[in-house]
Amino acid sequence: MRTVKKVRPSREGRKSRSVLKCPIDKAVEDLHRKLANDRSGEVATYIPELGRANPDWFGVCVVTADGKTYEAGDTDQSFTIQSISKPFLYGMALEDNGQAAVLEKIWMEPSGEAFNAISLRPGSGQPANPMINAGAIATTSLVSGVTTQQKMRRILDGMGRYAGRPLSIDEAVYRSESETGHRNRAIAYMLRNFNIIESDPMPGLEAYFMQCSLAVTCRDLGVMAATLANQGVNPITKDRAVVREYVESILSVMSSCGMYDGAGEWIYRVGMPAKSGVAGGILAVLPGQLGIGVFSPRLDACGNSVRGVKFCLELSRRFGLHMFNAPRVSASVLRRITHVGEVSSNRCRCSDETDLLKRHGSRVTVVFVQGVVVFASSEVVIRELMKRVHDLDGMILDLQHVQAMDFVTRELLAELALLVVRAGKFMSFSHAEHMPKVTQAFRKKLKDRIQFFGDLDLALEDAENRILARHGWKPATPERIDLAECEIAHGMSRQDVEALKALLRLRLFRSGDVIIQPGEDASEMCVLTRGTASVWLHSEESPKKRVATFTPGMIFGEVALLDRQPRSAQVTADTDVELLSLDAGCFDGLTASHPNLQRLLLRNLSQILARRLRATNRDLGAV
Amino acid sequence: MRTVKKVRPSREGRKSRSVLKCPIDKAVEDLHRKLANDRSGEVATYIPELGRANPDWFGVCVVTADGKTYEAGDTDQSFTIQSISKPFLYGMALEDNGQAAVLEKIWMEPSGEAFNAISLRPGSGQPANPMINAGAIATTSLVSGVTTQQKMRRILDGMGRYAGRPLSIDEAVYRSESETGHRNRAIAYMLRNFNIIESDPMPGLEAYFMQCSLAVTCRDLGVMAATLANQGVNPITKDRAVVREYVESILSVMSSCGMYDGAGEWIYRVGMPAKSGVAGGILAVLPGQLGIGVFSPRLDACGNSVRGVKFCLELSRRFGLHMFNAPRVSASVLRRITHVGEVSSNRCRCSDETDLLKRHGSRVTVVFVQGVVVFASSEVVIRELMKRVHDLDGMILDLQHVQAMDFVTRELLAELALLVVRAGKFMSFSHAEHMPKVTQAFRKKLKDRIQFFGDLDLALEDAENRILARHGWKPATPERIDLAECEIAHGMSRQDVEALKALLRLRLFRSGDVIIQPGEDASEMCVLTRGTASVWLHSEESPKKRVATFTPGMIFGEVALLDRQPRSAQVTADTDVELLSLDAGCFDGLTASHPNLQRLLLRNLSQILARRLRATNRDLGAV
C-alpha cells in the first residue's frame, strides 16, 4: 500500500513550493486521510479471488470534465471492475442495436430487489433494468459479436476508450467467476426461455463473466466517469467513447437503478448518478462537471464500499456537487449588446460617413454571445433579439466567444434568422467559420439569404455599408486622386502642395504586397492616392486581425514618423496601390527649409491624430 | 375552451408583425396544437368533483429560470393541484423541522407500489417517501401549526410564494376529498400507531385534504416549477419560496419517486424531476433552466395526464432538455488571462515607467472570471492560477463579469488567496464590491492581508505601483513644476517658453472640482503643473469609469483644441490642482504672430498624440 505523505503546514510568508499546495488537492487529500481511519465493513468473499484483497487499500480520484486529475492513496492498485461495467455495456448495446431494440429486451425501472434477483417483468420477461445481473447479462448478449471472443474484442475496445488505455482481464478472477456463476447461468437460460436472449446464451454469459473481471484502477474509474461527464468524449485522450445521444440514457439508468436498493437515498444525499462494484470500486458522475473513481474493498451491508460511499458523500457536500444544486445557466450567455452607432468596423471612414453611422447605427444591433449555449441560454439570446427586432434594419450575432452550441440552438437561431430575413431585415453571423456545422445548417435552411463572416470587423463593415447605402452614400472611387485632395494637404496653398509633392516619393504596390512590416525601423509616412490598404495585427494569442482599412486620400504610418519607434503592425495592399511617401529625414529637413510647410503638415497631422484618438477612445470606452 | 389562433405563413419579405413570431413561442404553440388532437385517456372520477372537468381543457406553460413565460391554450383554467403539492409540502416540513427530524419520520426510497399504498418501512413504520399519500400525510403533520387553520395559513403562504399570487382552496373539491377520504384516514391512524404522527392525526389530515384542493392554473404550475429551477426564488416576484439548501432535497424525491411507478422511465425519456396530479396537472423542473406546467384532465393508466406526459416528452426532445444532456460548465469561466505588461491602469505613466512595466509586467497575472461560478468552474480558475503562481509576484482576479458565485467557490478562492499571500506574493480582487458576501468571507478569513478594489483600474494601478516600487521608482512629487519641464514645452528655447507662458492662463481648482464637463464646447488645452487630475467616462450602460489620470507635466484637453468638437469626457481634480490653459483663439492667433512657436507646439502635440494613439491601439489590440 502506498502511504499518504503528510504535508506539514509551513510557516507564514516562507516562499516554498510546499506552501503552494492547491486547495483542491488539499481537500481531496485531507478527506482521504480522514476516511482511511474508517475500518468498518467487510471485504466481499463470494468468489475466493476477491477475498485476497488488502482491506486497507484506499484510492480516490476526481477527474474534471476537461481532464484535470486530483487523486490520493492507492490510485494505481488494480482491482476488478465487477458491476461498474454494467452502464458501459448498456451504452455499447445501445450503440450496436439502437435504443428501440434494446428497450424491447431490457426495461429501465428500479426493481426494488437485490442485484442478483431475477426480476423479469411479467408478460415480457424483460429484466427490470440493465443494472441488475439479469439486465446486464441480456445487455452483454446484445453487444456485437457471436462468439465470446468477438464480444470481448468489442468490449475491450469500448472500455479502453473510456479509460484511455488498453484494459485486460484478470484471468484468476474470471475463472473464479465462471466456476461459481451457477445463478447467472440460471438467469441466462431464463432469459433464453423468454426469448430475451435469442440464441445460445453461453457465449454471451462467458463474455459477461470476463468483462466483470476487467482489471482497472480507481484512476481508470475516474477517467471513465469524466468521459460520461464530458458527453462521451474522454477528456484526456479526446477520443469519443460513446455517441453523445446515449450518454443521457446511461446516466439515467445509473441514476434510477445504479446503487441497488439505495438509489433514492444516494440521489438524495450524494446527488450524482453512480455505480458500485463488489470489489470495492465506486464510479460517480456529475454531468458537465466531473467524474469520481473510488476504491476501497470493505463493503457495507448493501455491497457498496464503505469508504467509497463516504468519500462521495463528503466530497459532494464539501464542493456543492449535488446535481440539483444548479445555478441559472442563462446568466452569462450575453457578453454584450450594442449597435453599429457604438462599435465600428476598422474601415476608416471620412467624417460625413462617421456622422451618418452615428445617427443611424442604432438600427443595427450587435449581440455578442458567449459560453456553452444550451436551450435556456439560446432562449435568452432569442428573447433579446425578438424584443428589438421591430425597430431594427438588421442584426449581427457574434459567435467568437461561443465554446459550444447544441443542435437545438442551431435550429432555433436558423429559424430566427429566417423570420428576420422574411421580414425584410438582414442578419449576419460573425465568427461562424469556427463552427462549420452551424454554418452548414444555416446555409441549408436559409439558402444563402443570410450573411456569414469570418470575423466581426467584416460583418460590421457590411452593416455600415448597408446603412450608408440607405442614405445615398456611394463607395469610394477606384480612381487615382491628387495630392491636393488628400487629408494631409488640407488648407495648403497650391505652392505648399507643390513643395510637398517635390519631397514625396511615388511607390507602387501590387494587390497583396506587404507595404509595412511590423518591427521595421523605417519611419516614413504614406499618403494613399490610389487603391486601398489594410492594417493587420498579429499576436500569439489570436489570429491575424484587421484593425484598419485606408481609402485614397488618407495617410498611414504617421505615428512612426512622429515617435520614430519601430512599426507595430503590418500594412498590406488590398488592391493595386499607389502612394506618396515622406521620409523622416525630409520631414526633419523642413524645419530649416520650409518651416511654414512643416507647421501646416503638423497641424493636419495632429488633427488627423486627434480624430483617430477620439475614435479609438470611443471604441475602448465601449469595451 | 380557448381556441388556438392559427398563424398563417406570411408571404416572404412582407414586413408584418405576424411574421415575426418568436420561434420558441411557435414551437410551444405548434406542439400544443398537435397534442390537442389526442383525445385518449379518461378523466379521474374517484371523487365526483373531478369528474366535472371539461376533458378537452389543455394548457401548457414554460417558464424560464429568469421568469420569461411561453404558453398556449387554457393557461387560465383553474383546477386542483392534488398530488403536485406533495414536493412543496415536503419543502415546508424540511424548513419547519430540519432535515434530520424529517428523515426520522419519512424515508426517500421509491416504493415500487401504488400512490395510495400504505408502504410503511418494516421496523420504523416510516412511509417509503414523501410522494406517496402516506408520506404526504406525514409531511403535512410536520408542517408548522397545531390546528388545521394554523397549518393552512403556513401552507397557503408557502404555496403563494411559489406561485407568486395568493392561492385559495376549491371548497367543493375539499369537501368531496374529505367525505370520501377513508383510506387516507386509515393511513393517518396507522402513522399515529407507529408514532410517525405523534399526536391527534385528524387536524393534519384535514389540512392534507385542503392543500390537495388548492386551486391553481397551469401558469401557476409553470411559475412554481421555475421557482424550483431557480434555486427556490420565484423568478417573477423575486421572493424566496424555500431556503436554497432544501431545493435539492425536493428535486431528489421528485426525481426518484415523483412519477409513481414510472419514475425510471420518466427520467430515462424526459429527464426532469416531475410530479403529476389526478386533476390532470404535471409540473416538471429542469434545474437551472426552466419549469413546465401542463394541464389536461384525461389520464393514462398510471394516473398521469396523457397530453401532459406527451408535451413534456416532446418538449424535452425538441429543446434538448434531458437533465443529463449537460455540456461542460467550466468552458467559459475564464473570460481572459493576461498580465500587467499587456493591460495597464488608466494612470498616465511617463515613458520610463511604461518601459519598466512592459519589462516586468508579466510578473503579475490578471485573470478575468465570468458567469455563474460553481465548483467545476472555480476549479478551472484555481488550476490556471496554480500553474502560474510560482513565477509570479502577484495576481489580480477580476470579478466584474461574475453573475453568481457559490459558497464553495468563495471558500476555495479564500484558501487560494491565503496561500498566495503566505508565499510572499500579493493577491488583489477587483469588483469585489459587487459581492459583499464574498468580500466579507475573504476579509474574515484573510484578516486584511489581501487587497480588494472597487474596479480593475485601481487594482491595476496598485499592481503597477508595486512593480515600479520593486525597481526603485518613486511616486511623482506633489510640488509645482515649471512650464519648461512640461511635455508640451519639450525642445523649446527659453524665449519660446516665455512667449508660450504669456499666452497661458493660470487656473486653480480644489480637490473634487470638475475641470472639464462632457458636452462642453470649450476647446482650451490644459497643462497640468501641480496635483493630479482624472478623466472619467459616463455612460448609460455602466457606472462612472476612470479612463486616465494625469500627473504634473502632462497635458489634457488637446483633442478638442485640434478638432473643435465638444468634450467627450469629464475631467476632475483628484487633489488641489494648478494648471495653465491655452484657449483655441490664442492658439489660432499664433499662425500670424508666432508661427514658429505654433510649429513647435504642433510638433510636441502630434508626438504626444502619436504616443497616446500607440498606447490605446495596444489596449484595443489586447481586447
Side-chain angles (χ1 to χ4, degrees):
Chain A
M1 182 193 171
R2 229 172 77 186
T3 54
V4 182
K5 221 183 73 192
K6 269 205 176 165
V7 177
R8 254 193 294 174
S10 298
R11 213 157 43 86
E12 283 203 347
R14 204 177 123 202
K15 290 190 206 179
S16 81
R17 278 188 103 86
S18 74
V19 88
L20 284 169
K21 179 179 268 304
C22 164
I24 299 169
D25 274 322
K26 188 172 173 302
V28 169
E29 289 172 14
D30 286 353
L31 189 52
H32 177 269
R33 192 180 303 115
K34 178 185 138 187
L35 294 175
N37 296 321
D38 187 334
R39 296 197 161 73
S40 58
E42 296 296 332
V43 175
T45 52
Y46 84 101
I47 57 168
E49 282 301 313
L50 293 180
R52 295 199 188 135
N54 177 343
D56 280 328
W57 279 334
F58 183 26
V60 301
C61 183
V62 178
V63 182
T64 68
D66 62 349
K68 165 75 181 176
T69 300
Y70 298 91
E71 56 177 67
D74 307 310
T75 52
D76 291 320
Q77 178 59 49
S78 170
F79 57 97
T80 52
I81 193 166
Q82 300 295 340
S83 293
I84 301 172
S85 62
K86 288 173 178 166
F88 300 99
L89 268 278
Y90 185 62
M92 292 178 210
L94 288 170
E95 285 190 317
D96 295 350
N97 301 270
Q99 195 168 58
V102 171
L103 292 180
E104 224 171 81
K105 301 293 187 187
I106 307 152
W107 201 235
M108 72 306 241
E109 208 59 53
S111 69
E113 297 177 286
F115 69 96
N116 60 359
I118 301 196
S119 295
L120 304 186
R121 277 157 61 95
S124 68
Q126 291 164 306
N129 67 66
M131 301 292 104
I132 55 172
N133 286 3
I137 292 167
T139 300
T140 313
S141 80
L142 286 173
V143 168
S144 280
V146 175
T147 66
T148 304
Q149 284 64 33
Q150 286 167 343
K151 284 187 187 292
M152 283 315 296
R153 225 172 291 140
R154 162 71 171 123
I155 292 169
L156 285 173
D157 173 67
M159 299 298 274
R161 285 169 184 271
Y162 280 105
R165 69 176 187 103
L167 298 177
S168 58
I169 305 298
D170 181 323
E171 289 291 336
V173 174
Y174 159 59
R175 275 192 305 275
S176 194
E177 294 275 1
S178 182
E179 280 159 19
T180 60
H182 312 304
R183 188 184 181 89
N184 287 331
R185 282 194 184 87
I187 291 175
Y189 278 109
M190 193 65 82
L191 293 170
R192 179 68 192 87
N193 173 62
F194 281 107
N195 230 26
I196 298 297
I197 298 177
E198 297 181 4
S199 57
D200 178 8
M202 288 305 109
L205 186 68
E206 282 310 303
Y208 173 77
F209 290 139
M210 280 187 188
Q211 56 83 26
C212 283
S213 312
L214 263 184
V216 293
T217 67
C218 90
R219 192 185 302 119
D220 291 329
L221 293 187
V223 175
M224 296 169 82
T227 300
L228 289 175
N230 190 35
Q231 302 195 309
V233 174
N234 183 311
I236 294 169
T237 64
K238 316 289 180 207
D239 274 351
R240 179 163 285 286
V242 60
V243 296
R244 201 185 61 81
E245 60 180 298
Y246 292 130
V247 171
E248 60 187 50
S249 309
I250 296 170
L251 293 173
S252 291
V253 292
M254 286 169 68
S255 165
S256 55
C257 326
M259 295 302 277
Y260 306 124
D261 48 354
E265 184 177 1
W266 179 271
I267 288 301
Y268 191 96
R269 295 194 195 271
V270 181
M272 284 181 245
K275 190 75 201 78
S276 73
V278 286
I282 296 183
L283 171 148
V285 179
L286 182 58
Q289 297 201 43
L290 52 83
I292 302 174
V294 202
F295 167 56
S296 184
R298 290 196 195 90
L299 308 182
D300 62 21
C302 298
N304 299 321
S305 164
V306 172
R307 289 167 176 167
V309 168
K310 288 188 177 160
F311 181 80
C312 292
L313 181 61
E314 297 203 19
L315 196 78
S316 173
R317 295 229 179 110
R318 172 74 178 81
F319 287 152
L321 304 181
H322 197 292
M323 64 184 182
F324 293 140
N325 173 24
R328 217 157 68 201
V329 306
S330 60
S332 57
V333 65
L334 295 173
R335 189 179 179 93
R336 187 179 161 211
I337 300 179
T338 182
H339 58 74
V340 172
E342 298 242 307
V343 60
S344 350
S345 80
N346 292 318
R347 182 178 182 112
C348 294
R349 301 285 181 182
C350 69
S351 59
D352 291 354
E353 293 169 1
T354 308
D355 285 352
L356 268 176
L357 291 173
K358 230 176 185 165
R359 262 208 310 280
H360 304 287
S362 67
R363 304 276 311 167
V364 180
T365 281
V366 186
V367 176
F368 297 81
V369 181
Q370 70 184 1
V372 173
V373 187
V374 292
F375 172 74
S377 29
S378 61
E379 186 272 334
V380 170
V381 175
I382 288 169
R383 191 198 311 171
E384 282 299 322
L385 290 178
M386 289 307 298
K387 226 161 59 185
R388 291 171 162 77
V389 67
H390 296 291
D391 304 319
L392 292 180
D393 294 336
M395 45 181 79
I396 298 174
L397 216 58
D398 180 80
L399 306 178
Q400 184 179 8
H401 296 276
V402 168
Q403 269 94 16
M405 204 177 242
D406 68 359
F407 182 76
V408 170
T409 299
R410 295 202 293 268
E411 284 269 313
L412 284 172
L413 289 183
E415 278 180 50
L416 178 77
L418 195 61
L419 70 88
V420 165
V421 170
R422 279 192 179 151
K425 301 158 190 293
F426 71 90
M427 182 137 186
S428 302
F429 290 85
S430 69
H431 286 279
E433 94 283 10
H434 290 306
M435 302 193 204
K437 277 186 202 164
V438 182
T439 313
Q440 271 174 20
F442 283 139
R443 288 247 160 87
K444 206 171 152 191
K445 192 136 190 172
L446 300 173
K447 298 172 190 128
D448 299 316
R449 299 166 48 98
I450 200 165
Q451 303 257 60
F452 294 91
F453 294 95
D455 88 1
L456 179 65
D457 185 33
L458 300 173
L460 285 171
E461 182 177 352
D462 170 76
E464 289 167 359
N465 289 346
R466 287 167 185 266
I467 293 171
L468 293 172
R470 239 183 116 127
H471 294 88
W473 162 90
K474 296 255 184 321
T477 164
E479 300 301 302
R480 176 182 306 110
I481 70 167
D482 198 69
L483 180 61
E485 296 169 60
C486 294
E487 55 184 356
I488 194 64
H490 183 76
M492 287 188 185
S493 68
R494 202 185 167 82
Q495 253 176 322
D496 290 331
V497 173
E498 289 307 317
L500 178 58
K501 197 176 265 174
L503 297 169
L504 299 174
R505 184 161 63 95
L506 176 68
R507 298 173 68 196
L508 302 176
F509 294 89
R510 286 286 190 189
S511 175
D513 283 355
V514 172
I515 304 172
I516 289 178
Q517 201 55 279
E520 275 180 356
D521 272 332
S523 48
E524 79 275 7
M525 175 183 79
C526 302
V527 182
L528 188 65
T529 52
R530 183 154 170 264
T532 63
S534 289
V535 186
W536 300 88
L537 273 188
H538 300 249
S539 86
E540 284 166 31
E541 286 173 36
S542 49
K544 190 172 159 175
K545 178 179 155 193
R546 186 182 75 158
V547 292
T549 292
F550 297 104
T551 52
M554 294 178 171
I555 59 168
F556 58 86
E558 76 289 351
V559 169
L561 178 78
L562 291 163
D563 71 6
R564 309 291 156 93
Q565 296 287 313
R567 301 292 193 186
S568 57
Q570 188 186 60
V571 181
T572 58
D574 299 335
T575 62
D576 288 355
V577 153
E578 287 184 24
L579 56 81
L580 300 169
S581 81
L582 173 65
D583 81 22
C586 287
F587 179 74
D588 290 344
L590 290 175
T591 313
S593 65
H594 296 77
N596 193 53
L597 178 57
Q598 195 188 44
R599 185 182 59 81
L600 289 170
L601 280 171
L602 283 166
R603 188 198 59 192
N604 291 346
L605 267 175
S606 51
Q607 280 169 0
I608 293 165
L609 286 167
R611 200 167 68 231
R612 291 186 183 169
L613 193 60
R614 228 187 244 269
T616 39
N617 275 334
R618 198 192 54 167
D619 287 354
L620 264 182
V623 175
Chain B
M1 184 194 169
R2 231 170 74 184
T3 53
V4 181
K5 219 181 74 188
K6 269 208 174 162
V7 177
R8 253 193 295 176
S10 299
R11 209 157 47 84
E12 281 203 348
R14 202 175 124 203
K15 288 189 204 178
S16 81
R17 276 190 105 83
S18 75
V19 86
L20 284 169
K21 180 179 268 306
C22 164
I24 299 169
D25 274 320
K26 187 170 172 304
V28 169
E29 289 170 15
D30 286 352
L31 189 52
H32 177 269
R33 192 180 303 116
K34 177 184 141 189
L35 295 176
N37 296 321
D38 187 334
R39 294 194 163 74
S40 59
E42 297 296 332
V43 175
T45 51
Y46 82 100
I47 57 168
E49 282 299 312
L50 292 180
R52 298 200 186 134
N54 177 343
D56 280 331
W57 280 335
F58 183 25
V60 301
C61 183
V62 178
V63 182
T64 68
D66 62 350
K68 165 76 180 174
T69 301
Y70 298 90
E71 57 178 65
D74 307 310
T75 51
D76 290 320
Q77 177 58 49
S78 172
F79 57 96
T80 53
I81 193 165
Q82 299 296 340
S83 292
I84 302 172
S85 62
K86 286 171 179 166
F88 300 98
L89 268 279
Y90 185 62
M92 293 178 209
L94 289 169
E95 284 190 317
D96 295 350
N97 301 271
Q99 195 167 58
V102 170
L103 291 180
E104 223 171 80
K105 301 293 187 186
I106 309 153
W107 201 235
M108 73 306 242
E109 209 58 55
S111 68
E113 294 177 285
F115 69 97
N116 59 0
I118 302 197
S119 294
L120 305 187
R121 279 158 58 94
S124 68
Q126 290 164 307
N129 67 66
M131 301 293 103
I132 55 172
N133 286 4
I137 292 168
T139 300
T140 315
S141 81
L142 286 173
V143 167
S144 281
V146 175
T147 65
T148 303
Q149 283 65 35
Q150 285 168 345
K151 283 186 187 293
M152 283 314 296
R153 223 173 291 142
R154 162 71 172 123
I155 291 170
L156 286 172
D157 174 67
M159 298 299 274
R161 286 169 182 271
Y162 279 104
R165 69 175 187 104
L167 298 177
S168 59
I169 304 300
D170 181 324
E171 289 292 334
V173 174
Y174 159 58
R175 274 192 307 273
S176 193
E177 294 275 1
S178 183
E179 280 160 19
T180 60
H182 312 304
R183 189 184 179 90
N184 287 330
R185 282 195 184 87
I187 292 175
Y189 279 109
M190 193 63 83
L191 293 171
R192 178 69 191 88
N193 173 63
F194 282 107
N195 230 26
I196 298 299
I197 298 178
E198 297 181 3
S199 56
D200 178 9
M202 286 305 110
L205 186 67
E206 282 309 304
Y208 173 77
F209 289 139
M210 281 188 186
Q211 56 84 25
C212 283
S213 312
L214 260 184
V216 292
T217 67
C218 91
R219 192 184 302 118
D220 290 330
L221 293 187
V223 175
M224 294 169 82
T227 301
L228 289 175
N230 191 34
Q231 301 194 312
V233 174
N234 182 309
I236 294 169
T237 64
K238 316 289 179 207
D239 273 351
R240 180 162 283 287
V242 58
V243 296
R244 199 185 62 79
E245 61 180 296
Y246 292 130
V247 171
E248 62 187 49
S249 309
I250 296 170
L251 293 173
S252 292
V253 292
M254 286 168 68
S255 165
S256 56
C257 325
M259 296 302 277
Y260 305 126
D261 48 353
E265 185 177 0
W266 179 272
I267 288 300
Y268 191 96
R269 295 197 195 269
V270 182
M272 285 180 244
K275 191 74 200 80
S276 73
V278 286
I282 295 184
L283 171 148
V285 179
L286 182 58
Q289 298 202 45
L290 52 83
I292 302 174
V294 201
F295 166 57
S296 184
R298 290 195 195 91
L299 308 183
D300 62 19
C302 298
N304 298 322
S305 165
V306 173
R307 290 167 175 167
V309 167
K310 288 189 178 158
F311 181 80
C312 291
L313 181 61
E314 296 202 21
L315 196 79
S316 173
R317 294 232 179 108
R318 172 74 178 83
F319 287 152
L321 303 181
H322 196 290
M323 66 185 181
F324 293 139
N325 172 24
R328 217 157 69 202
V329 305
S330 59
S332 58
V333 65
L334 294 173
R335 189 179 178 91
R336 187 178 161 213
I337 301 179
T338 181
H339 58 73
V340 173
E342 298 242 305
V343 61
S344 352
S345 79
N346 293 316
R347 184 181 181 113
C348 293
R349 302 284 183 182
C350 69
S351 59
D352 291 355
E353 293 170 1
T354 308
D355 286 352
L356 269 175
L357 291 173
K358 228 173 184 168
R359 261 209 309 282
H360 303 289
S362 66
R363 304 278 309 166
V364 180
T365 280
V366 185
V367 176
F368 297 81
V369 181
Q370 72 185 359
V372 173
V373 188
V374 293
F375 173 74
S377 30
S378 62
E379 186 273 333
V380 171
V381 175
I382 288 169
R383 191 200 311 172
E384 281 300 321
L385 290 178
M386 289 306 299
K387 223 160 61 183
R388 290 170 161 79
V389 66
H390 296 290
D391 304 318
L392 293 179
D393 294 337
M395 44 181 79
I396 298 174
L397 216 58
D398 179 82
L399 306 179
Q400 185 179 8
H401 297 276
V402 169
Q403 269 92 16
M405 204 176 242
D406 69 356
F407 181 75
V408 170
T409 299
R410 296 203 293 268
E411 284 270 312
L412 284 172
L413 290 183
E415 276 178 53
L416 177 76
L418 195 61
L419 70 87
V420 165
V421 170
R422 277 192 181 150
K425 300 158 192 295
F426 72 90
M427 182 137 187
S428 301
F429 290 85
S430 70
H431 286 279
E433 93 284 10
H434 290 305
M435 302 192 202
K437 277 188 201 159
V438 182
T439 314
Q440 272 174 17
F442 282 141
R443 288 247 159 87
K444 205 169 150 195
K445 191 134 189 177
L446 301 172
K447 298 170 192 132
D448 302 313
R449 298 167 49 98
I450 202 165
Q451 303 258 66
F452 294 91
F453 294 96
D455 88 1
L456 179 64
D457 185 33
L458 300 172
L460 285 170
E461 181 177 353
D462 170 77
E464 288 167 359
N465 289 346
R466 286 167 186 269
I467 294 171
L468 294 173
R470 239 184 115 128
H471 295 89
W473 162 89
K474 295 257 185 322
T477 164
E479 299 303 303
R480 174 183 306 109
I481 71 164
D482 198 69
L483 180 61
E485 295 169 59
C486 294
E487 54 184 356
I488 194 63
H490 183 75
M492 288 187 185
S493 69
R494 199 185 174 83
Q495 254 177 323
D496 291 329
V497 174
E498 289 306 317
L500 178 59
K501 195 175 266 173
L503 298 169
L504 299 175
R505 184 161 63 93
L506 176 68
R507 297 173 68 196
L508 303 177
F509 295 88
R510 287 287 191 187
S511 172
D513 284 355
V514 173
I515 303 172
I516 288 177
Q517 200 58 279
E520 274 180 357
D521 272 332
S523 50
E524 80 275 7
M525 175 183 78
C526 302
V527 183
L528 187 64
T529 51
R530 183 155 171 265
T532 65
S534 289
V535 186
W536 300 88
L537 273 188
H538 299 249
S539 85
E540 284 166 29
E541 287 174 35
S542 50
K544 191 172 158 176
K545 178 178 155 194
R546 185 181 78 160
V547 291
T549 293
F550 297 105
T551 52
M554 292 177 171
I555 60 168
F556 57 87
E558 75 289 350
V559 169
L561 179 79
L562 292 164
D563 70 7
R564 309 291 157 95
Q565 295 287 312
R567 301 294 193 184
S568 56
Q570 187 186 60
V571 181
T572 57
D574 299 335
T575 62
D576 288 355
V577 153
E578 287 185 24
L579 54 82
L580 300 168
S581 81
L582 173 65
D583 80 25
C586 286
F587 179 73
D588 290 343
L590 291 174
T591 313
S593 65
H594 296 76
N596 194 51
L597 176 58
Q598 197 190 44
R599 187 181 58 83
L600 290 171
L601 279 172
L602 283 166
R603 187 197 60 192
N604 291 346
L605 267 175
S606 51
Q607 280 170 359
I608 292 165
L609 286 167
R611 199 165 68 228
R612 289 187 185 169
L613 195 60
R614 229 186 242 269
T616 39
N617 275 334
R618 196 192 55 167
D619 287 353
L620 265 181
V623 175

